[in-house]
Amino acid sequence: MLEVDAVTVRFGAATALDGFSLRVPQGRRVAVMGPSGSGKSTLLRVVAGLQRPDGGHVRWAGVDVTDVPPHRRGFGLMFQDYALFPHRSVAGNVAYGLEMAGRSRAEIAERVRTMLELVGLPGAEDRDVATLSGGEQQRVALARTLAPAPRLVLLDEPLGSLDRALRDRLLVDMPRIFDRIGATVVYVTHDREEAFAVGDEIVVARAGRDVATGTPEALWHRPPDAWVARFIGLENVFPITRRGEETTTGWWTVPRVEGTPDATHVVIPPEAVRLGTGPLAGTVADARFLGGHYLVRLRLDVGVEIVADVPTVPARGSRVAFDIDPGRVVLVPDQPTSSSV
Amino acid sequence: MSRPGPALRTLAAVPLAFLGWFFVYPIARISLLALAPGGRFDPTPFAEVVTDPGIRSVAFFTLWQAVASTIGTLVLGLPAAYVFARYRFPGRRLLRALMTVPFVLPTLVVASAFVALVGPGGLLGVDLQGTVAAILLAHVFYNVPIVIRGVGAFWEQVDPAVGDAARTLGASPVRAFRTVTLPLLVPALASTAALVFLFTFTSFGVILVLGGFEHATIEVEIWRQTVAFLRLDVAAALSLTQLGFLAVVLAGYNRLQARRAVVLPQRPGSRHLRTPRGARDLGAVAGILGVTAAFLLGPLVVLVRRALLTPTGFGLDNFVALTERTTALFVPPVEAISNSLRFAAAATVLAVLVGVTAAVVVARDRGALGRGLDLLLMLPLAASAVTIGFGLLVSMDRPVDLRRSTLLLPIAHALVAVPFVVRAALPAMRAIGGRLREAAAVLGASPWRAWRTVEAPLAARALAVGTAFAFAVSLGEFGATAFLARPAAPTLPIAIFRLLGQPGRGTIGPAMALSVVLLVLTVAAIAAIETLRVGGDEL
């Protein structure tokens, strides 16, 4: 189990990490998701040992490794731009960690072959890394990271610079590879889709802090605050006001729902919006086909827009009545608190 | 590209005629002098060069001092190159600019500074003048900036993530450097070393002043054979031999440059810079910068101090003494200032005229004419200044006798400066009429406005940079000048050299004062270049 305990890193006046904590049990995958500048990459550098924290601890299996230099940690880090060694061939890159571990030449050749097969590049040993496509570079970097069988695999935006189709394919391939070798993984990304696809658990990072932790489903259905809700892609986040017993968005009276007393916003998941009948009405502004279902954007007379996830699509510009499933809405505070779900 | 039009060919005639008359023709005359001194083929001068034990030892010394200087330069320069490539700290740009100063200084200023530091009565209290140590110190001082700029700029492009990747894959810091960073630096290291080797191999002024009578490079020997022994044939044979050797080194350098271009994925360097953190980091950065800065700037401070030093404390006596006639010169030293400024002005006009027309042709014509001219333009840089001076000395009697013309020095200086002017002007000349004009046009600029708002400012700036370069080069030129300057009209470096060469006659102080004048003039010109320059590092 990896434990990151209240790690702080400052660069001059700027604070990259501000008491960040994280736990990854053996064999599990945690996706750290946050906007750029939230300290995600610094977190990986601290865990890898490339960056000394100003405060806090990193533990592995209960042992404090904060002062252990990177080459003695046995953690693998895959870099954002891959950082392949330009003066070495594909095999030379994949073999590097094995050479450092002092394996025999035959052992290394065998392991390199296995790893290249694992990432779907069999026979690429002698190629020059400069001739590889972006996707091939990504696979070589993954093979290089995994070759020495690291105790922990750290990945920094590993799909960041790839085109859509390739990214989608690797989003299927990579978790399978991790499953096959039973890797413990910390996966850093700014992309919700990637985080949901790879992470058993998601940690949301904001301004150097861990502001939310939970499974993808838990975060989607119970976001801890308005910022996190918006960041993971919930668009229907509306401010609320209370008048006596009544809680309202101005155009909809929120029924009695669970929520904290300091709630300032209501989050309505798109699947909680049901079109056809109901006390509310709006004009269809646009609709996006998502393959089997639609994301419909309704414009209300008061000027607000609300998004609905529905199986059929009404005509653009038509006026539709709708209703909101009160059991699926959540009341949340505005600013992140250090709560967990 | 189509064949060059008549306008371009007419334009090309200017640099071709200049280089043909004042560079190619003199080299031909040198060859003639070396191979056929009596009008018929005669290998005697070469035989003398090969068999004379004195000349053999000169060649050996030239080689080994260049190798030693190169190693010393790398050893002192690499730590600072590393700090500039990897760290961000207050005053980084200013410090790097300051540390570049030694490289652009005239040789005679460097020689004076080291006389003030380790010469007779020098600040350090040891008299090293006439020893190899003084020569090596001055050479390292002179060339460390090339390492800081050249290797440093390359190092900055090497993504530190590759070193970090090696660390996470189990390599210790030393092993990561040896197996990843060092192999990536090799092309930059090798080409920088070749450049330093070239400069120190052809060192002239520094050796002449600091080397005393015992130590001579081939350059110094060419001068001695010409001026002291009047053996022009031997000097010509030496000159030709050196030219051949330099051609081989330069070819190797070019191949390394070509290789260096392919390896790295280029990234904006400053992204990788980090602030030093922790006591060890801070100590190392401060220590490396402190030692390097002291070594690179200390001698200049010592020079200024020595210029202000009088028998009764500090004062301007040495500067006042510049107006007095001495036995070292036929004229008061102060006249050297106006001489140098006049020669530099003439040389600048010539160099800019030739350099800019050449840059236009090279930029416009991608065919044989442009490429050939580009190569031809670099040759004066490859041949040493001594060869240029010697060549003009032995060839300008015909077809027109220019040996007594006041234009001869400006011509020599312009030859040395033209490659720099071309390098400065080429990027702007390439930009003119191309994509920038199109960009301006789609943004709504008429051709005239596009020229006025985009191209003219670019051209003007390139012209200004070229002018400042030519001026600085001419001010400090010594190798060619030593052959061509007339006693009645010494330039600043010549006057400094003569004053330094009269130990014990009270001329050292004025020599230092005159060196400070030259230092200030040169630094002003270089500061103008740095302010005007559009792009980044050239090296």
Side-chain angles (χ1 to χ4, degrees):
Chain A
M1 160 124 98
L2 170 75
E3 289 167 276
V4 174
D5 185 14
V7 162
T8 296
V9 173
R10 288 184 209 94
F11 296 114
T15 302
L17 287 178
D18 188 8
F20 201 104
S21 296
L22 177 76
R23 282 163 179 273
V24 188
Q26 194 78 40
R28 300 276 286 175
R29 299 197 294 264
V30 167
V32 177
M33 178 186 168
S36 53
S38 58
K40 310 180 299 276
S41 293
T42 308
L43 173 74
L44 285 196
R45 292 180 63 82
V46 168
V47 174
L50 294 167
Q51 175 75 53
R52 274 191 68 85
D54 294 301
H57 297 274
V58 177
R59 289 188 203 88
W60 177 260
V63 181
D64 193 323
V65 297
T66 316
D67 293 324
V68 176
H71 62 288
R72 300 225 180 83
R73 285 198 189 190
F75 297 169
L77 169 58
M78 186 173 150
F79 289 79
Q80 194 164 1
D81 297 317
Y82 315 137
L84 294 178
F85 304 135
H87 59 303
R88 283 176 160 238
S89 65
V90 166
N93 268 275
V94 179
Y96 190 88
L98 302 163
E99 289 167 14
M100 295 303 128
R103 305 282 191 83
S104 76
R105 192 171 289 195
E107 224 178 325
I108 290 175
E110 175 56 26
R111 180 81 177 154
V112 167
R113 204 179 55 75
T114 318
M115 293 316 297
L116 288 177
E117 262 167 30
L118 182 73
V119 298
L121 283 175
E125 279 91 341
D126 295 329
R127 289 184 63 186
D128 183 347
V129 292
T131 67
L132 300 177
S133 70
E136 288 168 335
Q137 286 185 27
Q138 197 270 356
R139 287 160 186 272
V140 172
L142 187 61
R144 183 180 73 177
T145 308
L146 299 179
R151 308 188 282 180
L152 171 70
V153 181
L154 309 164
L155 302 108
D156 190 357
E157 303 265 9
L159 304 180
S161 49
L162 301 180
D163 65 53
R164 178 95 198 180
L166 195 57
R167 210 183 58 122
D168 288 350
R169 214 173 79 224
L170 287 166
L171 268 184
V172 177
D173 290 356
M174 253 194 325
R176 282 192 192 159
I177 292 172
F178 296 145
D179 282 343
R180 271 175 64 184
I181 60 174
T184 308
V185 174
V186 181
Y187 186 106
V188 153
T189 180
H190 66 275
D191 185 88
R192 171 187 57 155
E193 210 181 320
E194 276 181 43
F196 285 5
V198 177
D200 301 321
E201 194 167 67
I202 311 284
V203 173
V204 179
R206 186 191 181 196
R209 293 164 180 267
D210 51 309
V211 291
T213 303
T215 62
E217 296 81 3
L219 282 181
W220 186 260
H221 296 299
R222 301 264 182 284
D225 60 61
W227 187 86
V228 170
R230 287 197 189 97
F231 184 68
I232 64 173
L234 288 161
E235 291 183 61
N236 302 332
V237 182
F238 303 105
I240 49 171
T241 50
R242 293 168 204 264
R243 261 178 264 122
E245 282 296 285
E246 197 190 57
T247 302
T248 175
T249 63
W251 44 270
W252 180 53
T253 304
V254 184
R256 285 181 56 85
V257 287
E258 51 185 300
T260 48
D262 58 343
T264 57
H265 287 73
V266 60
V267 180
I268 306 166
E271 59 272 17
V273 182
R274 294 170 303 201
L275 302 192
T277 54
L280 298 161
T283 311
V284 178
D286 64 73
R288 188 144 51 102
F289 181 52
L290 294 177
H293 62 124
Y294 296 85
L295 218 50
V296 174
R297 195 175 298 271
L298 298 176
R299 176 174 285 276
L300 275 58
D301 296 336
V302 287
V304 233
E305 287 191 352
I306 187 165
V307 175
D309 191 337
V310 289
T312 55
V313 66
R316 181 167 310 178
S318 65
R319 196 167 171 77
V320 284
F322 70 93
D323 192 9
I324 293 166
D325 179 353
R328 295 164 90 167
V329 307
V330 204
L331 289 177
V332 293
D334 182 17
Q335 281 301 312
T337 54
S338 288
S339 69
S340 290
V341 182
Chain B
M1 275 307 231
S2 56
R3 296 188 43 188
L8 212 55
R9 268 180 285 158
T10 315
L11 212 56
V14 175
L16 285 175
F18 185 81
L19 287 167
W21 190 359
F22 300 119
F23 181 70
V24 178
Y25 169 62
I27 298 285
R29 288 289 296 271
I30 291 178
S31 311
L32 210 61
L33 201 57
L35 295 164
R40 295 171 53 189
F41 176 70
D42 175 4
T44 327
F46 272 106
E48 206 164 317
V49 165
V50 177
T51 53
D52 186 309
I55 292 179
R56 286 232 302 256
S57 79
V58 163
F60 177 66
F61 174 72
T62 307
L63 196 65
W64 85 254
Q65 65 80 22
V67 171
S69 300
T70 306
I71 294 171
T73 304
L74 286 176
V75 167
L76 194 76
L78 281 179
Y82 166 74
V83 168
F84 281 112
R86 284 289 180 255
Y87 288 96
R88 184 197 315 276
F89 47 87
R92 178 173 178 272
R93 277 191 61 179
L94 178 71
L95 196 59
R96 188 158 63 165
L98 278 177
M99 285 192 179
T100 314
V101 166
F103 177 61
V104 300
L105 290 180
T107 42
L108 261 291
V109 172
V110 175
S112 289
F114 276 82
V115 169
L117 191 68
V118 295
L123 186 69
L124 291 191
V126 279
D127 183 4
L128 295 177
Q129 195 164 7
T131 67
V132 181
I135 294 172
L136 295 187
L137 275 176
H139 280 173
V140 172
F141 167 82
Y142 217 156
N143 292 296
V144 157
I146 306 181
V147 178
I148 294 181
R149 285 255 163 161
V151 180
F154 189 80
W155 204 330
E156 211 173 307
Q157 301 296 326
V158 176
D159 191 342
V162 295
D164 289 344
R167 299 295 314 284
T168 60
L169 289 166
S172 65
V174 174
R175 206 150 173 214
F177 181 77
R178 196 166 53 74
T179 57
V180 175
T181 314
L182 193 61
L184 292 177
L185 287 179
V186 157
L189 282 175
S191 65
T192 304
L195 212 55
V196 175
F197 176 83
L198 210 68
F199 286 143
T200 51
F201 188 87
T202 58
S203 178
F204 177 62
V206 164
I207 309 255
L208 213 50
V209 173
L210 295 175
F213 293 109
E214 303 94 286
H215 303 109
T217 53
I218 296 175
E219 296 275 283
V220 172
E221 190 63 25
I222 294 171
W223 187 73
R224 273 194 203 157
Q225 291 288 343
T226 309
V227 177
F229 309 135
L230 301 175
R231 289 295 307 271
L232 297 186
D233 54 343
V234 174
L238 265 174
S239 195
L240 220 53
T241 312
Q242 171 165 284
L243 218 53
F245 180 76
L246 292 183
V248 172
V249 175
L250 266 169
Y253 171 75
N254 267 341
R255 282 187 54 170
L256 285 170
Q257 282 283 334
R259 241 185 46 202
R260 161 178 168 169
V262 288
V263 186
L264 287 187
Q266 293 289 307
R267 302 236 166 83
S270 56
R271 206 185 76 188
H272 307 312
L273 296 182
R274 64 173 188 265
T275 317
R277 301 172 77 233
R280 258 183 68 187
D281 228 17
L282 272 170
V285 167
I288 288 169
L289 289 178
V291 169
T292 316
F295 183 73
L296 293 184
L297 302 174
L300 299 179
V301 175
V302 172
L303 170 69
V304 174
R305 178 188 169 276
R306 180 69 186 83
L308 294 171
L309 195 65
T310 69
T312 57
F314 289 102
L316 291 174
D317 300 14
N318 289 325
F319 290 87
V320 175
L322 293 177
T323 56
E324 290 157 20
R325 211 180 268 268
T326 68
T327 51
L329 290 166
F330 293 106
V331 295
V334 72
E335 278 189 23
I337 299 174
S338 55
N339 288 340
S340 265
L341 289 175
R342 269 188 290 117
F343 286 134
T348 301
V349 171
L350 272 175
V352 169
L353 184 72
V354 173
V356 170
T357 48
V360 170
V361 175
V362 172
R364 279 300 136 82
D365 187 64
R366 306 265 171 79
L369 180 67
R371 282 207 311 267
L373 190 60
D374 196 17
L375 193 70
L376 184 64
L377 283 164
M378 289 305 120
L379 287 181
L381 205 61
S384 66
V386 162
T387 301
I388 289 175
F390 176 65
L392 288 172
L393 182 76
V394 299
S395 67
M396 285 301 115
D397 51 340
R398 282 173 292 164
V400 187
D401 193 348
L402 288 174
R403 283 175 303 178
R404 281 160 191 281
S405 162
T406 45
L407 268 180
L408 193 54
L409 262 190
I411 286 170
H413 291 181
L415 265 178
V416 180
V418 159
F420 295 98
V421 177
V422 173
R423 286 299 128 193
L426 206 47
M429 297 306 150
R430 286 219 166 101
I432 285 171
R435 294 272 283 277
L436 286 181
R437 159 161 293 200
E438 290 169 7
V442 292
L443 287 167
S446 67
W448 159 246
R449 277 195 80 180
W451 160 254
R452 193 168 55 82
T453 55
V454 178
E455 298 179 335
L458 263 179
R461 196 187 296 215
L463 215 64
V465 172
T467 304
F469 253 126
F471 199 77
V473 166
S474 172
L475 277 182
E477 212 294 318
F478 181 65
T481 316
F483 287 84
L484 304 173
R486 284 177 305 154
T491 63
L492 278 168
I494 295 290
I496 294 167
F497 174 62
R498 297 244 182 276
L499 291 170
L500 282 177
Q502 307 257 310
R505 295 201 194 164
T507 56
I508 297 295
M512 297 297 161
L514 213 52
S515 298
V516 169
V517 172
L518 182 51
L519 171 70
V520 169
L521 288 174
T522 309
V523 168
I526 297 304
I529 295 171
E530 284 293 320
T531 341
L532 291 166
R533 182 143 67 190
V534 204
D537 299 346
E538 308 279 288
L539 276 165

